[in-house]
Structure formats: structure tokens, C-alpha cells
Amino acid sequence: MSWKSKGLEPNSKSVVTKKWALLLCIGCFCAGMLFSDRMWAVPEADDKGVSRETGAKEEGLKLITEGCDPMRKDVKREPKDILGEVSKTHHAIQTLDKTISNLEMELAAARAAQESIINGSPISDDLKIPESTGKRKYLMVVGINTAFSSRKRRDSVRATWMPQGEERKKLEEEKGIIMRFVIGHSATSGGILDRAIEAEDRKHGDFLRLEHVEGYLELSAKTKAYFATAAALWDADFYVKVDDDVHVNIATLGATLARHRSKPRVYIGCMKSGPVLAQKGVRYHEPEYWKFGEEGNKYFRHATGQLYAISKDLASYISINQHVLHKYANEDVSLGSWFIGLDVDHIDDRRLCCGTTDCEWKAQAGNICVASFDWTCSGICKSVERMKEVHRRCGEGKNALWSAAF
């Protein structure tokens, strides 16, 4: 049967359609291959990303694990290195602490000086030192405790171990040593006693007048006033208190104190711990004996009152807290009590309390004493008559002071 009879005769349009269909199939196949390649590439990239992420986590865990391992070679340190680092750190902390402490003390001293100016100078106007002098650094201020009735004692000191006139000024300028007789005022201000001291000071110029009323039972208050006033007037490494019936070798004292310059909060003297005397009427009776425990107890360690020295920071501490520091009957006990509870270096130096009988052979042996006196008299017995003798036997020699280097 022919195509026509069946009604299926192909025409040109159907032939063309078949060709285009074939081309479309081929194009779809190619597009499918291309699309298939892309689809497989994306999972591969994701797998790599996951692999990298997983690898990073594993590497981090590895680092943490290895960091905790004390046997790891690259972080292992020798014990000596660790101790060295600890030692350096400790030294740095100590240095910083000392620097802070010194700054605090300097600030406290400045405040004390400011308060003295605001509240009124602790000395009379004609005895004020120039501001330029107060800015200079000194080795020590030696305050010689004296009384209105001790004119002859002062003259015996001036004639022996205390330089006078131009020599005293030279001592301040070249050696950085200030020396003054320390005294307050009488109960009747401007009376005959005060006028006598003023006349003596005009002659010698060697007094430090305090805002303090003199009296034997007021020695603790006088000690506070002295350190507070001296710290406000002179910037020194040490402040010394000595009685006017004690012989002192100034060069030896300066050399002794200079060895402790680098130490903070220094308290130097002949340390003792005597009994607390509860019985009334006896010398050195302590009215507040009950504070020291049962009768028969001893005092805490403190320097004997004939001569002692404290560093600048302790003098500043007294100056700041003078209104709340308690005063006992004996001034050396009071001073020692003010340092209880503080980090203070108590230095016991027996050369500060030689006897007048042994200072001579010690000097001959080359072990010159800083201070000499008789324990039985709490000073040199009959010092007015014997000071020159003690100075001749126990003195360090006039040239020792001027040749000394502190």
C-alpha cells in the first residue's frame, strides 16, 4: 500500500523537524555532560573544605595537647632558668616597692613642711633658714638636746667636739652635716630664760628653737617636736638626737650612718630592754606600767636615750603622725614604741655607747667609739669639768672630720 493511500506521505516540514530534534538531543546530551561535571566538582570542593576544617581542628587539638605536655622539647625550661626569672621578678618588685615607699615619704615630708608653713613656723622668724638651704641634701642633722640651765655644758661641747663659727658652716657645706642645740621655750614666753637663749644664739648661731614648753616630764613631746621640725627644715638621710653631756666623734658617726644609707626605715643605737619600773618615786618610773603586762616585765627593744639616729622616712613618719603618737614617761621608750608594728631595721651598734674608761684603749686599738659616757650618770659624770679630758683621750683627732669622705 502506498503512502498516499494510507495518508502518511511525509512532507518537507516533518523531515526538518526530525533533523532539529536530533540536534536538540545531541545538544541536551552535551549540556547534561557539562552539568554533570559541575555537580560533581562542587561536592569535591566541599569535601576539601570539610577536610581542611577538620584538619585545622585536629591541628589545634594537637597544639593544645602538646602545650600541656611537660616533656615537649621546645617549651621545656631548665629549673635554673625558672629560678632566675623568679629572682628577677622578686627583685623588680622589691625595687618598685622601695621606690613607692620613698615617694610616699617625700610626699609626706612635703605635706609636713606645708602644714608647718600654714600653721606657723616652728621656730622664730629670725632663726628661719633660707629656702635654698632647705632644698639641699644633707647626710645628717645632729640635734643636741639641752636645757635652760645647761649653759656650761653647751660651752664644754663647743670647746671640744662641736665645730664653731666658720668651721661649722664649712661642715654644713662640705660634709653635709648640720649641728644644733635643741631647746624649746619657757612656760612664760619671752621671759628671762628665753632672752638668755636668744642672746647666746646671737653670739654662736647654733640653736634650733622648737614650739615646745621645756620640762623634764615633757622630753617625749620634745623628741617628737625635734624630729618633725628638723625633717621640715632639712632634707637629710639621718636625724640624730644626742644629750649635751655625751662625747661624740662626728666623723666616726657620719661614717657609721653612711653605711646604712641604702636601707629604708633605719633605727640605730645601743638597743636595750630594761625593766618597767612600777614603783612610784624612783627614777624612770613608768606610770603606765600596766600596759606592759605583769609587774617585773621588761620593755620592748629600744635604743638608749643618750644617742640614737633614725632615717629620713622614720622622721617623716613621726612628723605626720605626731598628734596621735603616744608619749610614755621616758622619751627613749616613747621613740621605740612609735616604731612597733612598722617594718623597721633595728641596728644595735655598741660603739654608740662606749664607757669613758674603755674608749681610750679602743681608740688606741683603732676601734674609735662614736659616743662615750658613763652609765652610772646616764652621761659623762661632771661633764663640764671632764669633757675636755674625755675628748683628749677618746677623740678621733681634729683632722679626721675634714679628711673623712661620706
Side-chain angles (χ1 to χ4, degrees):
M1 186 179 291
S2 65
W3 287 98
K4 288 181 180 181
S5 61
K6 292 181 178 180
L8 297 173
E9 183 178 358
N11 52 34
S12 59
K13 289 181 179 180
S14 62
V15 173
V16 173
T17 302
K18 289 180 180 179
K19 290 181 179 179
W20 280 107
L22 179 62
L23 291 173
L24 181 61
C25 289
I26 294 172
C28 290
F29 176 78
C30 292
M33 291 295 294
L34 180 61
F35 180 75
S36 176
D37 289 341
R38 283 176 173 271
M39 291 299 293
W40 282 108
V42 172
E44 182 180 0
D46 289 343
D47 289 344
K48 289 181 180 179
V50 172
S51 177
R52 285 196 296 269
E53 184 178 355
T54 306
K57 291 181 179 179
E58 290 178 354
E59 185 66 22
L61 292 173
K62 183 178 179 182
L63 290 174
I64 294 172
T65 304
E66 290 178 352
C68 297
D69 185 4
M71 299 302 293
R72 189 179 177 191
K73 291 183 180 180
D74 57 342
V75 298
K76 183 178 180 181
R77 294 185 180 180
E78 295 293 332
K80 291 182 179 179
D81 296 337
I82 296 174
L83 291 176
E85 292 296 327
V86 172
S87 178
K88 289 179 181 179
T89 303
H90 181 66
H91 178 71
I93 293 173
Q94 285 184 325
T95 303
L96 180 60
D97 180 66
K98 182 178 179 181
T99 302
I100 293 173
S101 177
N102 290 336
L103 290 174
E104 288 177 345
M105 291 301 177
E106 289 178 4
L107 178 60
R111 286 176 177 172
Q114 185 180 20
E115 289 180 1
S116 297
I117 295 173
I118 294 173
N119 298 329
S121 175
I123 56 175
S124 56
D125 293 337
D126 58 340
L127 295 175
K128 288 181 180 179
I129 59 172
E131 291 185 5
S132 59
T133 306
K135 295 179 182 179
R136 178 183 168 176
K137 186 73 173 182
Y138 294 92
L139 170 63
M140 61 181 178
V141 176
V142 181
I144 307 170
N145 192 33
T146 190
F148 290 113
S149 59
S150 300
R151 172 63 186 264
K152 292 183 178 180
R153 284 187 179 183
R154 292 191 290 273
D155 287 339
S156 69
V157 170
R158 292 182 179 115
T160 52
W161 55 270
M162 180 181 182
Q164 292 297 295
E166 293 301 321
E167 284 193 347
R168 185 168 57 80
K169 294 180 180 178
K170 181 181 177 182
L171 184 66
E172 297 177 6
E173 296 172 359
E174 296 185 5
K175 303 300 181 181
I177 299 175
I178 303 291
M179 299 182 68
R180 296 288 190 275
F181 286 106
V182 180
I183 195 168
H185 296 272
S186 65
T188 55
S189 182
I192 187 173
L193 296 177
D194 292 316
R195 292 199 301 270
I197 292 295
E198 291 168 4
E200 188 178 345
D201 188 44
R202 284 193 294 270
K203 179 179 180 180
H204 298 283
D206 54 5
F207 277 92
L208 172 61
R209 301 295 300 276
L210 306 176
E211 280 297 330
H212 165 77
V213 177
E214 288 289 324
Y216 179 77
L217 298 178
E218 296 297 328
L219 290 178
S220 294
K222 184 176 181 178
T223 300
K224 285 199 297 184
Y226 161 63
F227 284 122
T229 303
L233 294 177
W234 297 289
D235 181 14
D237 291 319
F238 295 96
Y239 298 86
V240 182
K241 177 263 177 181
V242 59
D243 290 338
D244 60 4
D245 57 351
V246 174
H247 180 271
V248 181
N249 284 317
I250 297 298
T252 307
L253 174 61
T256 300
L257 297 182
R259 288 196 291 269
H260 303 288
R261 258 176 166 166
S262 61
K263 301 176 183 178
R265 298 176 296 279
V266 176
Y267 176 30
I268 306 175
C270 289
M271 299 296 166
K272 65 175 183 177
S273 181
V276 180
L277 301 179
Q279 184 180 355
K280 293 183 179 180
V282 299
R283 193 178 186 187
Y284 306 127
H285 164 64
E286 179 57 70
E288 297 181 272
Y289 63 90
W290 57 273
K291 288 186 177 180
F292 300 92
E294 302 298 328
E295 290 190 25
N297 280 1
K298 291 185 176 181
Y299 287 113
F300 40 78
R301 215 56 148 165
H302 61 280
T304 184
Q306 284 82 1
L307 186 148
Y308 48 73
I310 62 175
S311 54
K312 175 185 176 180
D313 39 14
L314 292 183
S316 298
Y317 172 81
I318 293 174
S319 177
I320 298 167
N321 300 285
Q322 58 180 310
H323 301 299
V324 295
L325 294 177
H326 186 69
K327 303 185 296 293
Y328 290 100
N330 303 301
E331 55 97 8
D332 52 354
V333 172
S334 294
L335 182 71
S337 71
W338 299 336
F339 303 147
I340 294 294
L342 301 182
D343 187 11
V344 175
D345 189 0
H346 290 61
I347 298 175
D348 182 20
D349 193 334
R350 309 315 290 185
R351 292 179 303 160
L352 274 66
C353 55
C354 293
T356 58
T357 57
D358 57 4
C359 61
E360 183 175 9
W361 63 264
K362 286 183 178 180
Q364 292 174 354
N367 187 21
I368 299 175
C369 293
V370 173
S372 304
F373 58 89
D374 301 307
W375 283 104
T376 55
C377 300
S378 296
I380 298 176
C381 297
K382 299 181 179 179
S383 64
V384 174
E385 293 82 9
R386 296 184 58 230
M387 185 65 77
K388 287 185 178 180
E389 173 199 347
V390 174
H391 183 65
R392 178 181 57 80
R393 292 190 293 104
C394 307
E396 59 194 353
K398 186 175 182 179
N399 294 329
L401 181 58
W402 304 113
S403 61
F406 304 118

